[in-house]
Amino acid sequence: MNTSNPYAGIMRIAEWFVRFTYVNVLWLVFTLLGGVIFGFMPSTIAMLSLFRRWFRGKEEFPVFGTYWNEYKLNFKNSNVIGIPLLMIGIFLYVDFLILIEISHWMSNALLVILGMIGLVYLFVIVNIFPVLTHFKLSFKEYYKRAFYLSLLQPFRFFLLLITNAIIVLLLFTIPILFPIIGFSIFGAINMWSFLQGFGKIEEKKEHLQMESAVE
C-alpha cells in the first residue's frame, strides 16, 4: 500500500476492521457448530492461526479455507487439552464460592492455597491457545510450555490480564461490539502478545548461544 496516500492509514484500519468482523463471525458460527463446549477450543485456535499469519506478514491466503482446515485439524486434540482445563476452572470456581461462605480459619487458609492454584491455572490459560496454535507438542508439553512462558515473562502476563479486563469493560459498556468484534479482538491481542513475548525469548536464547560460542 502506498504510504504517501493520505487515506492509506484509514484504509488500513478499515481493512483490519473487516478482518476482525469476518473472523468474529467465523468464530461464532464454528463454536456453535461444535455445540459450544466442543466447538470453543478448535474455533479459537483456528481464529488465532489467522491472526498468526497476518501478524507474521502473510497477507494472501484463503481465510475461510484456512480457518476450516485448522478447525478440523485441531478439533480432537484441542478438546482433549481444553476440556480438562474447563473442568479444573469450574472446580476452582465452585470451591471459591463454597470457601467464601465459610467463616473459619481453615477456610481462609484453604482460600490462600486455592489462590495459588488459581494463579498457576491463569498462567496456563493465558498462553494455552497461542501455544496450541504455534507449536506441535505432546499433551503434557502444551501445559508446561504455556505455564513457563507466563512464568518467564510475568510483566507481559499481568499486562495482558489488565488489557483483557479493560476490553471486557469496554465491551460491556458497548455491548453491540460483542457480535461484531468482541471475540476476535481478544484473539488478536493474545496472539500478538504471545508472538512478541516468544520472539524476545528466542532473541535472548540466540544471544546466549552466541556468547557461549565466543567463549
Side-chain angles (χ1 to χ4, degrees), residues 12-26 50-51 54-55 58-61 63 180-181 184:
R12 189 61 174 167
I13 291 172
E15 179 184 352
W16 273 100
F17 184 80
V18 171
R19 285 178 177 177
F20 279 122
T21 304
Y22 184 36
V23 172
N24 206 70
V25 171
L26 288 175
L50 296 182
F51 285 119
W54 282 321
F55 291 151
K58 295 181 180 179
E59 296 287 336
E60 301 297 329
F61 62 90
V63 175
I180 301 175
I181 61 170
S184 59

Side-chain angles (χ1 to χ4, degrees), residues 56-72:
R56 301 182 83 185
K58 295 181 180 179
E59 296 287 336
E60 301 297 329
F61 62 90
V63 175
F64 181 84
T66 301
Y67 195 100
W68 174 235
N69 288 334
E70 292 291 336
Y71 183 87
K72 292 188 297 181

Side-chain angles (χ1 to χ4, degrees), residues 124-160:
V124 174
I125 287 295
V126 162
N127 280 312
I128 192 65
F129 292 107
V131 165
L132 280 165
T133 306
H134 197 73
F135 299 105
K136 298 297 180 185
L137 306 168
S138 64
F139 291 137
K140 290 182 179 180
E141 285 298 318
Y142 282 119
Y143 298 121
K144 289 169 61 177
R145 187 69 61 91
F147 173 78
Y148 286 134
L149 285 173
S150 293
L151 189 65
L152 288 171
Q153 297 180 319
F155 178 76
R156 184 183 69 85
F157 167 76
F158 287 110
L159 182 61
L160 189 57

Side-chain angles (χ1 to χ4, degrees), residues 61-161:
F61 62 90
V63 175
F64 181 84
T66 301
Y67 195 100
W68 174 235
N69 288 334
E70 292 291 336
Y71 183 87
K72 292 188 297 181
L73 183 65
N74 292 287
F75 190 88
K76 180 180 178 181
N77 288 347
S78 63
N79 277 304
V80 170
I81 292 169
I83 295 300
L85 286 175
L86 174 63
M87 300 304 295
I88 293 171
I90 294 173
F91 176 78
L92 291 174
Y93 179 68
V94 171
D95 279 356
F96 173 76
L97 293 179
I98 293 173
L99 288 174
I100 61 175
E101 294 295 327
I102 302 173
S103 179
H104 192 273
W105 68 267
M106 185 171 289
S107 66
N108 293 331
L110 289 174
L111 274 172
V112 173
I113 296 173
L114 187 67
M116 295 172 65
I117 296 172
L119 182 61
V120 172
Y121 180 76
L122 282 176
F123 270 29
V124 174
I125 287 295
V126 162
N127 280 312
I128 192 65
F129 292 107
V131 165
L132 280 165
T133 306
H134 197 73
F135 299 105
K136 298 297 180 185
L137 306 168
S138 64
F139 291 137
K140 290 182 179 180
E141 285 298 318
Y142 282 119
Y143 298 121
K144 289 169 61 177
R145 187 69 61 91
F147 173 78
Y148 286 134
L149 285 173
S150 293
L151 189 65
L152 288 171
Q153 297 180 319
F155 178 76
R156 184 183 69 85
F157 167 76
F158 287 110
L159 182 61
L160 189 57
L161 288 183

Side-chain angles (χ1 to χ4, degrees), residues 38-51:
F38 296 106
F40 177 81
M41 287 292 292
S43 191
T44 302
I45 293 171
M47 174 176 64
L48 264 62
S49 70
L50 296 182
F51 285 119

